[in-house]
Amino acid sequence: HVLAVPYLKMLASSQRVASVRSRAFKPADGPIGPRASRPIRSVRTNATATETASLSAFKTSGKDVVSFLKLSGKDKQDPELVEGALVALEQASASKTKTGLDTVPGRWRLVFSTSTSIRMWQYIPVKEDLVVDVATRAISLESELGPFQFDIQGTIFSWDEAGGALTFQFDRGVAIKLGGRTVWTVTPKNTKPKTYTFFYVDSDISGARSSAGGLSLLVRNP
């Protein structure tokens, strides 16, 4: 899951994996920012049995995909329908050319993820922001859990603006804060690289599939 607590447990493990620091960073082929306008071409993986069932349920509902997902980003909806809407949007985006990937860099609130099969946990129960800074090759996951804040920092290895694939690794450390003050720092030992492929982006929401297979709904958080 994208939550900070499981990630911290993973950091505490003594296992190690080979570093990928030597991988070359591949910058975007053009400018990054509101003036850039590059097409989104999405490659969809085959839907799982659960995703297929969720897609069927969503189609039966007769709801508009984008409108429903924007509503889902503000207020909790049936997780099965949210998953189905994301699958529908991913499939629709696979056959279309859209603009918006140039606006992926920035701050996004992660609100929903199917990285867990437990429906009650698919709506992320804590504030969790993904901050993407392609210019400095930095990425961070900023979470709040009770009085604590977690700043999980990582490195962007590649950003394919035309295809929407963002490859990164949380390898720079975790700052645990209390009241905005750092009280503990954890050094990562066994993190692994992952890729988020953004298949839909607009001024309010985005949809992405993780290399682990899960779908995520993100809300722009300026």
Side-chain angles (χ1 to χ4, degrees):
H1 204 282
V2 290
L3 297 179
V5 173
Y7 180 77
L8 291 177
K9 290 181 178 179
M10 180 177 64
L11 288 177
S13 171
S14 60
Q15 298 179 356
R16 296 177 180 272
V17 296
S19 173
V20 295
R21 290 181 182 273
S22 60
R23 294 174 59 180
F25 175 71
K26 301 176 182 178
D29 292 331
I32 296 174
R35 293 186 179 180
S37 180
R38 298 183 59 84
I40 298 175
R41 294 188 181 276
S42 175
V43 178
R44 184 182 66 84
T45 57
N46 292 330
T48 65
T50 300
E51 289 176 351
T52 300
S54 296
L55 176 61
S56 178
F58 176 75
K59 287 182 175 179
T60 301
S61 73
K63 300 179 184 296
D64 176 74
V65 175
V66 174
S67 297
F68 177 72
L69 286 174
K70 289 187 177 184
L71 176 63
S72 301
K74 296 178 180 179
D75 300 301
K76 289 185 178 180
Q77 305 296 317
D78 183 342
E80 182 182 35
L81 295 184
V82 178
E83 179 182 48
L86 285 169
V87 175
L89 189 57
E90 182 182 37
Q91 292 183 354
S93 298
S95 60
K96 296 180 180 179
T97 298
K98 298 182 180 295
T99 58
L101 278 177
D102 55 288
T103 66
V104 165
R107 179 179 292 269
W108 294 90
R109 175 66 49 86
L110 285 152
V111 297
F112 180 90
S113 172
T114 62
S115 58
T116 175
S117 60
I118 303 174
R119 291 295 191 194
M120 65 179 294
W121 292 111
Q122 289 180 338
Y123 262 103
I124 300 172
V126 299
K127 292 181 179 179
E128 189 164 77
D129 288 349
L130 183 69
V131 184
V132 180
D133 188 342
V134 174
T136 62
R137 307 180 190 179
I139 189 168
S140 62
L141 189 64
E142 300 177 3
S143 307
E144 293 184 15
L145 187 62
F148 293 95
Q149 299 88 45
F150 302 87
D151 186 0
I152 306 171
Q153 302 171 350
T155 304
I156 295 174
F157 295 115
S158 67
W159 167 231
D160 177 8
E161 188 177 291
L166 180 72
T167 300
F168 59 93
Q169 182 177 0
F170 290 122
D171 58 353
R172 293 185 176 179
V174 181
I176 302 175
K177 301 177 180 180
L178 180 62
R181 180 180 179 182
T182 300
V183 296
W184 188 33
T185 300
V186 180
T187 302
K189 293 181 179 180
N190 70 335
T191 64
K192 297 180 180 180
K194 65 166 55 179
T195 299
Y196 261 24
T197 301
F198 290 85
F199 53 83
Y200 180 84
V201 182
D202 69 19
S203 59
D204 300 311
I205 65 170
S206 65
R209 182 178 286 277
S210 168
S211 53
L215 291 163
S216 294
L217 173 64
L218 303 91
V219 174
R220 194 179 296 278
N221 189 13

